[in-house]
Amino acid sequence: MRPILLPDPPSLSTGVPEIFEQGGAQNVVRRAVVIGNGFPGSENQCIGLVRALGLAENHLLYRVTRPKGGINEWLHWLPVGFHKKLDFILRHIYLYSRLMLRSKQSKYITSENGGNVGLSSILEADVKKIVTMARETYEKDGPLVVIACGRDTVSIASSIRRLASENVFVVQIQHPRSHLNRFDMVITPRHDFYPLTPEAQEQVPRFMRGWITPREPPTDHVVLTTGALHQIDYASLRKSASAWHDEFAALPKPLIVVNIGWPRSNCRYGADLAKQLTDSLLNVLGSCGSVRIALSYKTPEKVSRVIFKELGDNPKVYIWNGQDPNPYMGHLAWGDAFVVTADSVSLISEACSTGKPVYVVGADHCKWKIADFHKNLRERGVVRSFTGFEDMSESWSYPPLNDTAEAALRVRHALAARGWSLRS
C-alpha cells in the first residue's frame, strides 16, 4: 500500500519582515487561554487549535468544574453557575442539620465538606481573574486569544468577551446553543446546523420546533468544519512514526487499526454491533497482515466482551488492554487502513486526517445530526461502510480532512482584520 502524504498546514507567517510590521506589543498575539470542561474530547479540540496557531508553548488551561457526587450527577442539565450555587446551599443545609442533630461530631464537618479535595490543583475558570489578567498585561504582552469548547464554557467565554472586548479575541468551538454574536468567532461542524434543514424540520413536531437549537443560520464569523478539531497533523504523525517504529515497523502489512468508541444518545448500539464487527473482521482477515484493536475507556463491557471472545485468541489480532502506553498515535502513523465505530466524530475526524482508507461500522445506528455527519463524509468519498467483503490490501485515498489548520487560518485572518498579528 502506498503511503499518503499529508498537506503541510497553511503558513502562519504574515509574509512581512518583523521589522516592517506596524504596531507594537499591543498588536501582536503571543499567548492563549484555553477554557476546558474536563472532557478530553472538548479540550483536545482547543489544544489542537492552539497548536495550529503556533501558541502551544505559551498557553494556560483553565477548567469549568461542576460539583460531583450524589444528587449532583443528576443536575448536569443545569447552567453551571446555578448548579454551583445550588450545591453550596444544599451542602450548608446538610451540614447545619448535622451540626444541630449531632453537635458532638462537628469536628468532622471539615473533612466531609472536603469531598472535592484535589480540585484546588486545577485552574478554575474565573471570569474576573482572566479579565484582569488580559487588561493588566495587555500593554506588555499584547492581546489574549481565548479558546473554549463545550456547553459549560459558554457563559465563561462570552463574559470574558463582554468585559474585555478590547483585549481579547474569543473563539467558541462547537455551537454554543445561544446567540452567536456573543463571541468573536464560532467554530463548529456543519452538522450542528442540521436542525435547520427541511429534512430535520420534518422530523420535529411543529409545536417543538421553537425549542430546537440552533435557531439561526451561520453568520460571517462562524467557521464551518466537516468534523472535529484535533491535534493530528503531518508533524505529529511523523514524530509518532519515529517514536513507535520499533513496535510497528516489523508487523505484517497491511496493518488494519480498529478504533471502538461507546454508544451515544444519537448513536446507540450494543453487543449486536460488536458481533457484526467481529464477523466482518474475521471475513476480511485473509487480506490483512495484522489487526490492532483499541477500545475506549468508556466502551461498554457487553461490547468488549464480544470483541475478546471472538478475536482474543487470533494470532493476527492484538487487542490493546489499556494498560500499556496508549498506542493511539502510533496506530494513526503506522496504520494502513482504519475501521472506526460510527459514534465518535473525533475518532473518525482524526483517522480521516491521515488520507488513508477509513471504514465506518454502525452508521445505520446513528440518527439526527450524527447521521448527517456520516452522509456528508460518504458523499465526499472520505469514508466507506465496513461490510466485511473488502479486500483490505487494496488502497484508496482522498484529500485529508484539514479542519484544524483551515480554522486556524480563519482565526488569523480575523485577527488581522482587527489590526493584530499572530506570532508564536
Side-chain angles (χ1 to χ4, degrees):
M1 301 181 75
R2 61 185 180 85
I4 304 295
L5 295 179
L6 291 176
D8 290 328
S11 173
L12 297 179
S13 171
T14 61
V16 180
E18 186 174 358
I19 61 172
F20 296 113
E21 289 185 349
Q22 296 181 353
Q26 299 93 335
N27 291 11
V28 181
V29 178
R30 298 185 176 89
R31 60 209 174 117
V33 159
V34 170
I35 311 294
N37 58 2
F39 292 97
S42 297
E43 294 182 358
N44 183 50
Q45 296 195 62
C46 296
I47 301 301
L49 183 58
V50 167
R51 289 184 71 251
L53 292 172
L55 300 174
E57 301 301 322
N58 196 18
H59 77 276
L60 292 174
L61 171 61
Y62 292 83
R63 280 184 179 155
V64 179
T65 56
R66 282 183 178 269
K68 296 182 179 181
I71 194 175
N72 288 305
E73 303 305 320
W74 298 88
L75 299 178
H76 283 193
W77 56 274
L78 293 172
V80 64
F82 181 76
H83 186 182
K84 288 184 175 182
K85 291 178 181 178
L86 180 60
D87 176 70
F88 178 83
I89 294 171
L90 292 176
R91 281 183 177 273
H92 279 73
I93 291 174
Y94 171 73
L95 292 174
Y96 181 74
S97 63
R98 288 289 301 272
L99 179 63
M100 295 296 292
L101 295 174
R102 302 175 63 181
S103 60
K104 64 179 181 179
Q105 294 186 5
S106 61
K107 62 182 179 180
Y108 296 114
I109 289 178
T110 301
S111 61
E112 286 185 14
N113 199 29
N116 287 332
V117 169
L119 291 180
S120 59
S121 62
I122 298 174
L123 287 172
E124 177 68 23
D126 186 293
V127 172
K128 291 182 180 180
K129 289 182 179 179
I130 296 174
V131 167
T132 300
M133 175 185 68
R135 288 173 174 171
E136 293 182 350
T137 61
Y138 179 75
E139 294 293 329
K140 177 183 177 182
D141 299 321
L144 185 67
V145 171
V146 178
I147 302 174
C149 183
R151 179 170 62 92
D152 287 349
T153 69
V154 169
S155 62
I156 301 291
S158 60
S159 296
I160 292 172
R161 179 181 183 263
R162 176 172 54 84
L163 297 171
S165 59
E166 299 298 318
N167 313 107
V168 301
F169 185 89
V170 177
V171 180
Q172 185 71 34
I173 300 174
Q174 295 181 345
H175 198 288
R177 309 300 176 205
S178 63
H179 295 296
L180 301 176
N181 59 10
R182 296 168 64 185
F183 310 92
D184 293 300
M185 180 173 288
V186 174
I187 302 174
T188 190
R190 287 180 178 84
H191 60 259
D192 269 357
F193 286 91
Y194 173 73
L196 295 178
T197 64
E199 179 184 355
Q201 291 289 305
E202 291 178 0
Q203 301 177 47
V204 180
R206 186 175 298 275
F207 72 91
M208 291 185 61
R209 291 176 185 174
W211 296 88
I212 302 297
T213 57
R215 301 185 183 93
E216 55 187 18
T219 54
D220 291 341
H221 76 302
V222 176
V223 177
L224 297 179
T225 63
T226 301
L229 304 189
H230 50 74
Q231 301 187 52
I232 311 304
D233 56 18
Y234 178 75
S236 63
L237 289 176
R238 183 171 56 183
K239 181 178 179 181
S240 298
S242 175
W244 289 90
H245 176 274
D246 293 346
E247 181 161 348
F248 290 104
L251 291 178
K253 296 286 189 176
L255 168 59
I256 309 304
V257 173
V258 182
N259 289 326
I260 302 174
W262 66 91
R264 323 287 176 104
S265 59
N266 285 327
C267 198
R268 299 187 182 279
Y269 59 86
D272 55 336
L273 184 65
K275 188 64 167 65
Q276 174 189 331
L277 172 60
T278 56
D279 288 346
S280 296
L281 286 172
L282 288 170
N283 206 40
V284 302
L285 209 54
S287 62
C288 301
S290 49
V291 175
R292 289 182 67 101
I293 300 176
L295 294 90
S296 166
Y297 70 100
K298 285 188 176 181
T299 302
E301 184 180 353
K302 60 184 177 182
V303 172
S304 59
R305 189 185 305 118
V306 173
I307 302 297
F308 278 98
K309 177 183 177 183
E310 300 294 330
L311 298 172
D313 295 329
N314 194 297
K316 275 192 174 184
V317 179
Y318 170 84
I319 304 175
W320 180 55
N321 59 12
Q323 300 301 314
D324 299 325
N326 192 332
Y328 183 72
M329 289 300 299
H331 284 169
L332 288 178
W334 284 94
D336 295 302
F338 304 93
V339 177
V340 190
T341 54
D343 55 274
S344 177
V345 174
S346 293
L347 289 177
I348 294 171
S349 299
E350 290 171 347
C352 292
S353 71
T354 66
K356 304 171 187 177
V358 177
Y359 298 93
V360 175
V361 59
D364 54 324
H365 289 247
C366 300
K367 59 183 181 179
W368 199 239
K369 65 179 185 178
I370 304 303
D372 188 60
F373 166 66
H374 289 291
K375 178 183 177 183
N376 185 28
L377 290 182
R378 289 194 300 270
E379 290 176 347
R380 293 182 54 177
V382 177
V383 304
R384 297 178 183 178
S385 298
F386 186 52
T387 64
F389 298 102
E390 293 82 3
D391 181 351
M392 303 303 286
S393 63
E394 293 183 1
S395 181
W396 48 276
S397 62
Y398 49 87
L401 294 189
N402 207 24
D403 285 329
T404 308
E406 291 169 3
L409 193 60
R410 289 286 301 274
V411 172
R412 178 175 174 269
H413 288 163
L415 291 172
R418 291 182 61 167
W420 294 350
S421 61
L422 186 65
R423 306 291 295 182
S424 58

